[in-house]
Amino acid sequence: MFRQDFPILSRKIYGHQLVYLDNAATTQKPRTVIDAMTDEYLNVNANVHRGVHYLSQQATELMEQARETVRAFLGARSTSEIIFTRGTTESINLVAASFGQAFMSECDEIILTEMEHHSNIVPWQLLRTRARIIIKVCPITDDGHLDLEALSRLFTSRTRLLACTAVSNVLGTVNPLDAIINMAHDHDVPVLVDAAQAAPHIPIDVQSLDVDFLAFSGHKIYGPTGIGVLYGKEALLQQMPPFMGGGEMIGRVSFEHTTFNELPYKFEAGTPDYVACTGLARALDYVTDIGLDNIAAHEHDLVTYAIQRLREIPDMRIFGPSTAGVISFLVGNIHHLDLGTLLDRLGIAVRTGHHCAEPLMHRLGIEGTVRASFALYNTRAEVDTLVAAIERVRKMF
Ligand code: PMP
């Protein structure tokens, strides 16, 4: 399905047809995204927002159209709520720094979960060092779901934010955002959702979710690297100080006093990656044209088939419910790195290691896994290739 849209998929690796199963790390790019960006560099390029000249205005228009595309994709109320960042990591750092400064002080609490990516842990630890906040952690159950009972007991009068992932990049768990957000709001606690692994697989509507902040990365949803999004409710963003200072984010500047630009520009210091904004918008259009529901159905079929086939392999251990495009596994005593390296020699790209989720690895009592992650262009035949290759490696050990 759609494979011809992705030029890289025809590559051969060590003489084998590439089987790309590292989509949770980054997805491949359709030609339409590459063409849109090439066209902008070839025909439009000029710095945005500042110029009176034709090209600058055209580039600005493209960037603001991209913002509107993101707004529509997320179902946000206004483009004031759509901030372009370098990716999920920067989006979360922005909230940690700025929300932290505005709303959190010594002994205030944030709730995270045991299945967070490092990018939703470390920014809060940096804030903890600066502001002496307290980090509380919601545990997971043995089958890889959030323990909602335990979560409900973590809220106190000092809880200022709940920050959790929508989909685990290791376990493929899809967290029940509605229930989590309702629970937090019952305690008057806003919620930040890390949608890095959700956006490419699950339709998101920030207004019906009533989520307060939501972050995702362009490169995981068929868009370019170096661009991502922070959605934030306008009422909160208005009260938050800038994250970085520089051009673009100011109103007037003197050495005595500086005023800040309106939303969303207050949070976009410096020259943005406006060409990547165009690329991201084209990627979202691409996904929307195919339909996220259709993509989800295709990936569900693939993952179900893959789990069934992988379970045929003796000594196979699969971690977590693997619901959204991600399957983490280990085979017997074979080290994940050895398995990944040998699969690579057969042209199969999987990821190995802790997947930037070391606390989760500690919880699971392992050092790492092999992770196969799927996208709209993967096929059942590729699953068969993966399974045959694992069998071949297993027999070598
Ligand atoms: N959160 C999750 C759940 C992720 O899987 C990732 C990427 N592996 C990130 C955050 C960080 O995304 P980025 O590196 O694009 O900022």
Side-chain angles (χ1 to χ4, degrees):
M1 222 178 31
F2 309 108
R3 288 182 72 83
Q4 65 283 4
D5 295 341
F6 295 82
I8 203 171
L9 295 181
S10 59
R11 266 203 74 170
K12 288 209 156 53
I13 305 290
Y14 301 117
H16 299 278
Q17 181 59 52
L18 167 67
V19 174
Y20 186 77
L21 297 175
D22 194 17
N23 296 286
T26 200
T27 51
Q28 300 301 346
K29 320 305 170 198
R31 199 183 289 280
T32 177
V33 168
I34 299 164
D35 287 350
M37 294 175 70
T38 306
D39 182 61
E40 186 163 345
Y41 275 127
L42 288 176
N43 295 307
V44 183
N45 182 54
N47 206 335
V48 289
H49 294 312
R50 280 172 279 217
V52 292
H53 63 81
Y54 188 90
L55 290 183
S56 175
Q57 290 187 14
Q58 203 180 349
T60 304
E61 220 166 273
L62 284 173
M63 180 172 166
E64 293 311 318
Q65 275 169 16
R67 201 187 303 276
E68 167 55 25
T69 301
V70 174
R71 184 208 64 73
F73 184 76
L74 293 179
R77 211 173 42 79
S78 152
T79 48
S80 305
E81 302 181 314
I82 305 298
I83 299 159
F84 284 118
T85 63
R86 284 193 302 123
T88 306
T89 302
E90 186 175 298
S91 297
I92 298 173
N93 275 274
L94 189 163
V95 177
S98 175
F99 181 91
Q101 190 180 329
F103 294 110
M104 298 186 78
S105 50
E106 189 166 344
C107 292
D108 280 345
E109 297 165 4
I110 179 166
I111 301 174
L112 307 176
T113 85
E114 224 166 15
M115 66 169 80
E116 297 311 311
H117 187 277
H118 294 165
S119 61
N120 196 26
I121 298 174
V122 184
W124 305 107
Q125 292 174 326
L126 297 177
L127 180 64
R128 180 172 65 187
T129 307
R130 279 200 307 276
R132 295 168 201 261
I133 64 158
I134 293 165
I135 296 174
K136 292 189 160 180
V137 182
C138 172
I140 61 167
T141 60
D142 288 339
D143 58 359
H145 293 281
L146 279 187
D147 184 342
L148 293 185
E149 265 289 306
L151 178 62
S152 71
R153 290 193 298 271
L154 291 178
F155 291 90
T156 73
S157 60
R158 298 302 299 255
T159 313
R160 297 289 174 262
L161 191 71
L162 165 66
C164 78
T165 192
V167 170
S168 162
N169 66 315
V170 177
L171 305 170
T173 314
V174 179
N175 286 325
L177 289 184
D178 275 324
I180 292 168
I181 293 168
N182 283 338
M183 189 191 292
H185 286 178
D186 283 346
H187 293 87
D188 286 328
V189 171
V191 178
L192 178 151
V193 166
D194 170 352
Q197 295 297 342
H201 306 289
I202 298 170
I204 292 170
D205 186 304
V206 290
Q207 284 191 79
S208 64
L209 275 176
D210 199 21
V211 64
D212 302 276
F213 299 102
L214 183 135
F216 75 95
S217 299
H219 70 98
K220 291 186 199 280
I221 184 163
Y222 312 103
T225 49
I227 193 77
V229 171
L230 173 66
Y231 160 81
K233 279 185 185 163
E234 191 165 343
L236 284 168
L237 293 175
Q238 289 289 9
Q239 299 175 68
M240 289 161 51
F243 170 47
M244 292 196 285
E248 225 54 83
M249 50 72 72
I250 45 88
R252 301 205 66 89
V253 178
S254 73
F255 280 110
E256 291 71 39
H257 183 65
T258 290
T259 59
F260 303 126
N261 205 341
E262 60 194 24
L263 289 174
Y265 310 107
K266 178 171 85 172
F267 291 107
E268 293 180 355
T271 299
D273 194 342
Y274 48 87
V275 177
C277 293
T278 298
L280 172 60
R282 190 61 71 92
L284 298 183
D285 284 342
Y286 180 80
V287 162
T288 305
D289 285 349
I290 296 173
L292 261 174
D293 288 332
N294 293 328
I295 294 172
H298 172 67
E299 291 171 346
H300 176 73
D301 173 72
L302 271 184
V303 169
T304 309
Y305 179 67
I307 290 176
Q308 175 203 324
R309 292 286 342 263
L310 287 169
R311 287 219 172 102
E312 292 166 11
I313 298 172
D315 300 326
M316 170 63 67
R317 273 194 297 163
I318 295 176
F319 297 88
S322 322
T323 318
V326 173
I327 306 176
S328 270
F329 58 89
L330 287 172
V331 184
N333 294 326
I334 308 175
H335 195 274
H336 51 87
L337 196 57
D338 292 334
L339 183 50
T341 306
L342 290 165
L343 291 177
D344 175 56
R345 284 279 158 178
L346 299 169
I348 301 170
V350 291
R351 188 141 295 238
T352 64
H354 55 58
H355 314 297
C356 297
E358 282 197 61
L360 177 58
M361 294 299 130
H362 297 156
R363 167 66 175 85
L364 298 172
I366 54 178
E367 265 177 46
T369 70
V370 178
R371 182 184 71 185
S373 53
F374 298 86
L376 62 88
Y377 38 67
N378 290 120
T379 64
R380 281 183 170 222
E382 289 181 314
V383 171
D384 292 335
T385 307
L386 171 71
V387 171
I390 296 172
E391 276 292 16
R392 200 169 142 185
V393 173
R394 200 178 66 82
K395 289 190 179 123
M396 287 165 57
F397 276 81

